[in-house]
Amino acid sequence: MNPGTTFIDRDYDPLGHLWIVLSAPTGRGRVAVVNLTSHNPERRDCGDHCLVLGPGDHPFIRHDSCVYYKRARLRSLRAMREDEARGELERSEPLSDDLLLLAQQGALASQVISPSVRAALLP
């Protein structure tokens, strides 16, 4: 899975959020991923460096949504492939290059992502 790949993994996330692959695989076979959640500026769900996406930005998005940097993490490509083989992980349309870049920049600027996720995003 390449940066910009989007997917829904019902085994990993029963609520069915859309996830975005932000990085190339690390040497340990993991990728940085982040999900979208409903945008509510009063709750500040997306934390610092909010990136709001709306209908038209991606076919999955039906209402204002934000990149949820608080939940960014590393995932094993092997586990993701296993979920896909079992039919639990369904790929969606890839994120556009422009939106991927904005999501990556927001992650690097965010104070809420883990050092391991940040390291995966750096060349």
Side-chain angles (χ1 to χ4, degrees):
M1 292 189 190
N2 298 317
T5 299
T6 66
F7 61 93
I8 300 156
D9 189 340
R10 298 206 185 274
D11 183 51
Y12 184 71
D13 180 359
L15 295 178
H17 290 105
L18 185 72
W19 288 80
I20 303 164
V21 176
L22 292 177
S23 74
T26 67
R28 300 179 82 187
R30 301 186 302 169
V31 291
V33 297
V34 68
N35 72 287
L36 299 181
T37 193
S38 297
H39 180 62
N40 181 339
E42 293 175 14
R43 287 194 331 230
R44 294 188 39 91
D45 281 331
C46 52
D48 58 352
H49 303 287
C50 188
L51 174 59
V52 178
L53 304 177
D57 288 326
H58 187 276
F60 181 85
I61 300 172
R62 304 273 187 266
H63 57 270
D64 283 351
S65 302
C66 59
V67 179
Y68 196 30
Y69 293 118
K70 290 179 186 178
R71 202 165 173 207
R73 60 198 60 204
L74 294 178
R75 284 219 45 210
S76 159
L77 281 174
R78 189 177 90 209
M80 292 169 70
R81 288 184 185 120
E82 289 170 359
D83 284 354
E84 189 171 28
R86 284 193 317 272
E88 296 291 335
L89 184 149
E90 179 184 332
R91 293 188 197 212
S92 188
E93 294 293 319
L95 204 63
S96 73
D97 291 342
D98 291 341
L99 289 179
L100 174 62
L101 181 61
L102 289 174
Q104 291 168 326
Q105 290 171 337
L108 287 171
S110 176
Q111 299 301 307
V112 298
I113 66 166
S114 71
S116 60
V117 170
R118 185 180 312 282
L121 290 166
L122 296 172

